[in-house]
């Protein structure tokens, strides 16, 4: 099982039973796992297509991504990354992500990771 | 009038009526009073509610942490309970006094969760450590800048722009986000373990942490002490 799939599987488990296994903590953990799953999916793409890109900043990786994958996929990855990054940092004025938001991000990361894998 | 001003006016009418001596109720329940209020009004509301709470029980529901944050910053007595919504009907309330301590407590709890694979556990623990440091830096920067009379909006903009943990720590230590190169040498002179925590959590949230998680959390506590 690769890094992306493994993290998506644990995030999925937390969405189902997090309130018993990690009470109060699962939403934030789930957001981090989704972001990590996206990072792993990108890292796998770089390993296959352009190993030197893996060492650069995430911003740089997202900027060069359209040269390796279809433009609309690159845009979705960048948007998803920005959304998950925001959810993963501490913000005083915001709620933790809801189960519905997390479920929809889980769906998006799963789709994007599958498409990135097809571009390897 | 703006939405926030209407809310303020509504509360100015409601609170005296609800707290007259003739009222049989010894409590008030307020739903989401801070939405659309500007930050300075939130501070004012926190003070008003604390005054009401001297003789009444005051229960406030909100999705906006600004009121809780104002309560902490102004050191007003309040018990803050966080409700986490799950996909099912159940709700899990948690008493959340201070976000720094809550994040560190969560990190400790997670470090002792054997169900998660070790690598993933260390990534999540690093995440909580980073959140603790971020929350500590936010509190320091707000306290310092609001204390010398800066506007709430300016302070929030400064915090919003310093979105990386290294920038936040720099801002908390030197009040100047451009002194990033001085941050690690400064920490290293003050407390070597606090200095090692910063790169460890920056790296750890992406690639996990190979060392002992409880040591990482203790080092993070020392970093929190340096930036507080």
């Amino acid at each position: 099982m690769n890094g992306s799939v493994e993290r998506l599987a644990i995030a999925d488990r937390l969405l189902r039973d997090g309130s018993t296994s990690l009470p109060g903590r699962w939403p934030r953990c789930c957001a981090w796992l989704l972001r990590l799953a996206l990072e792993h999916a990108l890292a796998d793409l770089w390993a296959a297509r352009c190993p030197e890109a893996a060492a650069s900043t995430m911003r740089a990786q997202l900027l060069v991504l359209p040269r390796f994958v279809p433009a609309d996929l690159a845009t979705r990855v960048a948007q998803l990354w920005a959304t998950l990054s925001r959810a993963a940092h501490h913000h005083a004025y915001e709620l933790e992500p809801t189960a519905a938001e997390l479920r929809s991000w889980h769906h998006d990361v799963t789709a994007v990771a599958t498409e990135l894998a097809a571009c390897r | 009038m703006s939405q926030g001003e209407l809310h303020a006016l509504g509360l100015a009418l409601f609170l005296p009526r609800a707290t007259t001596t003739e009222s049989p109720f010894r409590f008030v329940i307020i739903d989401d009073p801070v939405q659309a209020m500007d930050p300075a009004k939130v501070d004012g509301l926190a003070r008003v509610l604390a005054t009401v709470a001297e003789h009444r029980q005051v229960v406030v529901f909100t999705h906006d942490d600004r009121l809780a944050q104002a309560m902490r910053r102004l050191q007003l007595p309040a018990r803050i309970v966080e409700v986490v919504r799950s996909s099912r009907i159940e709700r899990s309330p948690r008493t959340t006094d201070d976000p720094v301590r809550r994040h560190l407590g969560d990190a400790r709890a997670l470090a002792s969760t054997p169900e998660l694979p070790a690598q993933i556990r260390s990534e999540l623990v690093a995440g909580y450590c980073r959140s603790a440091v971020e929350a500590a830096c936010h509190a320091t920067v707000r306290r310092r800048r609001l204390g010398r009379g800066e506007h709430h909006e300016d302070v929030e903009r400064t915090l919003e722009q310093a979105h990386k943990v290294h920038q936040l720590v720099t801002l908390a230590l030197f009040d100047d986000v451009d002194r990033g190169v001085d941050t690690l040498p400064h920490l290293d002179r003050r407390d070597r373990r606090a200095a090692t925590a910063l790169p460890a959590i920056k790296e750890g949230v992406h690639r996990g942490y190979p060392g002992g998680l409880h040591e990482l959390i203790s080092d993070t506590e020392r970093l929190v002490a340096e930036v507080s």
Side-chain angles (χ1 to χ4, degrees):
Chain A
M1 191 152 48
N2 72 32
S4 179
V5 173
E6 183 184 15
R7 281 157 188 80
L8 281 168
I10 297 178
D12 177 65
R13 210 179 74 204
L14 288 183
L15 273 164
R16 292 174 199 281
D17 73 359
S19 47
T20 45
S21 59
L22 287 178
R25 297 179 191 97
W26 63 272
R28 202 173 285 265
C29 287
C30 192
W32 284 329
L33 286 168
L34 291 176
R35 195 176 76 148
L36 286 163
L38 187 60
E39 286 180 356
H40 277 267
L42 264 181
D44 292 346
L45 176 83
W46 297 135
R49 298 282 304 276
C50 179
E52 38 304 357
S56 59
T57 63
M58 186 52 69
R59 190 176 155 78
Q61 291 181 36
L62 294 173
L63 284 171
V64 299
L65 192 57
R67 298 189 44 187
F68 296 90
V69 304
D72 75 297
L73 174 58
T75 308
R76 276 156 60 213
V77 170
Q79 288 173 352
L80 205 46
W81 163 260
T83 306
L84 292 171
S85 268
R86 190 163 175 81
H89 279 275
H90 171 87
H91 295 286
Y93 304 155
E94 278 168 30
L95 277 180
E96 295 207 346
T98 63
E101 278 174 318
L102 288 163
R103 180 49 79 189
S104 125
W105 295 336
H106 188 282
H107 179 264
D108 294 347
V109 175
T110 306
V112 158
T114 311
E115 290 176 55
L116 285 174
C119 296
R120 293 206 293 253
Chain B
M1 286 172 93
S2 74
Q3 198 67 37
E5 286 169 327
L6 285 171
H7 277 149
L9 179 62
L11 284 163
L13 294 170
F14 167 75
L15 284 173
R17 286 173 57 112
T19 55
T20 52
T21 41
E22 292 78 32
S23 166
F25 302 114
R26 289 286 171 259
F27 61 89
V28 289
I29 297 178
I30 307 171
D31 187 26
D32 215 0
V34 294
Q35 57 170 302
M37 272 190 189
D38 60 65
K41 267 205 196 67
V42 176
D43 280 8
L45 178 67
R47 289 200 179 89
V48 168
L49 291 178
T51 311
V52 173
E54 285 170 15
H55 302 288
R56 297 283 189 285
Q57 183 176 27
V58 178
V59 180
V60 181
F61 296 97
T62 181
H63 69 272
D64 185 327
D65 186 41
R66 285 184 299 168
L67 188 64
Q69 200 258 321
M71 288 286 183
R72 285 192 288 267
R73 185 159 35 71
L74 302 172
Q75 299 186 345
L76 301 168
R79 179 163 168 263
I80 300 161
V81 177
E82 179 188 39
V83 179
V84 177
R85 297 175 291 177
S86 73
S87 41
R88 278 165 283 158
I89 313 283
E90 85 202 58
R91 301 285 181 268
S92 40
R94 303 199 293 160
T95 302
T96 57
D97 39 3
D98 165 22
V100 178
R101 268 192 291 166
R102 187 188 49 175
H103 290 313
L104 287 171
D106 285 344
R108 267 191 214 94
L110 216 63
S112 331
T113 303
E115 300 87 62
L116 290 169
Q119 165 70 20
I120 287 173
R121 191 165 56 216
S122 78
E123 293 165 0
L124 298 176
V125 168
Y128 276 116
C129 289
R130 183 178 69 174
S131 291
V133 174
E134 287 175 338
C137 292
H138 279 204
T140 299
V141 172
R142 283 204 188 94
R143 190 173 57 236
R144 181 193 294 141
R145 296 202 168 204
L146 294 175
R148 65 173 181 239
E150 285 188 32
H151 286 292
H152 278 279
E153 296 90 289
D154 298 336
V155 178
E156 293 313 314
R157 199 176 316 117
T158 306
L159 287 175
E160 194 63 29
Q161 282 162 359
H163 58 273
K164 293 196 162 161
V165 66
H166 194 98
Q167 294 172 313
L168 277 172
V169 169
T170 304
L171 203 54
L173 288 177
F174 306 121
D175 201 27
D176 177 1
V177 75
D178 294 326
R179 288 185 60 188
V181 289
D182 299 332
T183 301
L184 278 179
H186 170 88
L187 285 172
D188 206 39
R189 277 193 302 277
R190 301 254 320 162
D191 180 348
R192 179 153 292 174
R193 284 180 55 193
T196 59
L198 183 55
I201 59 179
K202 274 161 62 180
E203 183 79 1
V205 292
H206 299 288
R207 275 172 277 280
Y209 184 71
L213 294 182
H214 289 283
E215 287 77 22
L216 176 65
I217 298 166
S218 316
D219 292 352
T220 303
E221 271 183 315
R222 298 170 80 122
L223 178 58
V224 162
E226 288 298 322
V227 299
S228 295

